[in-house]
Amino acid sequence: MKMFEYYKAVAKQRPHLRLEVIRLPKECDDPAFVKSLNDKPGLLALAMEEVDDDMGGKALKGIPFIVPGARFNELYNWDSYFIALGLIVDGQVEMAKGMVEHFVFEIKHYNKILNGSRSYYLCRTQPPFLTDMTLQIYNQLQKSTPKEVEAANTWLKRAMRAAIKEYHTIWMVPPRLDPVTGLSRYHPDGLGIPPETEASHFTHILEPYAAKHGVSILEFTEAYNDGRLREPDLDEYFVHDRAVRESGHDTTYRFEKKCAYLATIDLNALLFKYEVDIATAIEILGGELDLEEDFNLSPFPPSKEAFEAANKSGFERSLSRKQTKEEWVKRSQLREERINKYLWNEGKKLYFDYDTVAGAQIPYETVTAFWALWAGCASEQQAFDVMATGLSKFEVIGGLVSGTEESRGPISLDRPNRQWDFP
């Protein structure tokens, strides 16, 4: 409420900015509501802090953050993780800490860390790095006195509580969770054509459908977005297109027309890291952590039957008990088992994505296989095998390529190169 009034006052005091301040509904990530904003997209509010003003009272002040740059001039998700690492190296710990505050705010008010802080991203997140980002910053905080320790631990609690909520309500429930494998996928909600692209971006996709209905592309786009024309195949295309954008790997032939079905090695390595990091944080905080927001806890171990039972009799609630280190260790151990079962290829000595609909690994060789080594879910032997057989596939002068030329396939005018493919 205070922030809403703050922005209303700014709009009144600075009419030249032409600000229209809108309060979002509680279910602000409902796909139909998000689509209704497409014709009037806007920036989303981020975290603020109360500071002393010049009159003995309190005033709201924005928390600064770093943007990727160029046309990406708002807070972005996984970009911010790598920015934060650089800030830590440069001694700008408070700036990095502020970016975590924004992510905590987004989880609380928008239910997820957003792809970016604009209205058309309300249904979409990105690769999850919050827990490692938090621990990297926590390790740099001053903890010389009891007061400093208490302040650092209070901040750690707040960030980890947010990460736990994101984990249970976003990554560990369908459609992002595949209950059969127990692994997670990039699978955002959304309706219609993603509005943030250039006007001609999807022309080649929409042309056949417009011709089928005997209308122009513009007329078809309006009718399709309004729901007056229905095309199930096109719906599925955009499910995968939005998933590619959520993956951060937009675009690549690795994900084309199947991204939402893939349990990827990169995402599941990151979630393994979440589980390990949360266990580590809980140990730092004394072995238990109470939660303050009320939400569903995802069934463990995850399975189709467990979700059917929870949907019938009710989900366990977050306020019903404290979180323990042991619980999160078990979660990480189970994910490691599932990664080994579905994503590790013993014959090729490499990790691959798993198509949860086709029930098979896809053959695309991706450098994100190395994320398993960073996250720690690869055994010592697997790490050796990936280095021995995989490094030569991806290493070139200047670093590592994101995929192999063989996996990318031939390139032509009709099949152009993609940003996240070789080279």
Side-chain angles (χ1 to χ4, degrees), residues 16 29 76 111 139 199 231 302 379:
H16 63 282
D29 55 353
Y76 273 80
N111 302 317
N139 290 337
E231 290 289 348
S379 68

Side-chain angles (χ1 to χ4, degrees), residues 10 44 47 57 66 87 95 152 199 220 275 304 353 398 403 408 422:
V10 170
L44 299 169
I66 307 297
L87 289 170
M95 179 72 76
F220 175 80
E275 292 153 351
K304 185 177 179 181
D353 304 327
R408 181 204 65 190
F422 179 92

Side-chain angles (χ1 to χ4, degrees), residues 403-417:
T404 62
E405 186 173 9
E406 180 182 3
S407 292
R408 181 204 65 190
I411 296 302
S412 66
L413 289 175
D414 295 327
R415 193 176 186 273
N417 213 343

Side-chain angles (χ1 to χ4, degrees), residues 209-237:
Y209 294 97
K212 171 185 172 181
H213 291 280
V215 296
S216 69
I217 291 177
L218 178 60
E219 290 171 325
F220 175 80
T221 297
E222 292 176 349
Y224 175 72
N225 277 337
D226 291 343
R228 289 181 280 114
L229 289 178
R230 299 188 180 278
E231 290 289 348
D233 290 344
L234 193 58
D235 294 343
E236 183 174 355
Y237 174 86

Side-chain angles (χ1 to χ4, degrees), residues 7 15 24 28 41 85 99 129 133 160 164 181 191 215 240 258 266 268 323 371 414:
Y7 284 113
L24 299 180
C28 62
L85 295 183
M99 295 171 81
F129 282 93
M133 186 175 175
M160 287 300 165
I164 290 170
T181 62
L191 295 171
V215 296
H240 296 303
K258 56 180 174 286
D266 38 289
N268 286 282
Q323 302 290 298
W371 291 25
D414 295 327

Side-chain angles (χ1 to χ4, degrees), residues 75 104 134 162 206 215 230 311 340 415 423:
L75 182 74
V104 171
T134 297
L206 300 176
V215 296
R230 299 188 180 278
N311 285 323
N340 285 333
R415 193 176 186 273

Side-chain angles (χ1 to χ4, degrees), residues 340 344 351 373 377-387:
N340 285 333
W344 175 251
Y351 293 97
L373 280 63
C377 56
S379 68
E380 186 175 345
Q381 184 60 52
Q382 287 170 322
F384 176 83
D385 290 341
V386 170
M387 290 296 294

Side-chain angles (χ1 to χ4, degrees), residues 277-288 324-325:
D277 288 346
I278 291 170
T280 299
I282 292 175
E283 183 176 24
I284 292 170
L285 296 168
E288 292 182 335
T324 65
K325 170 190 172 183

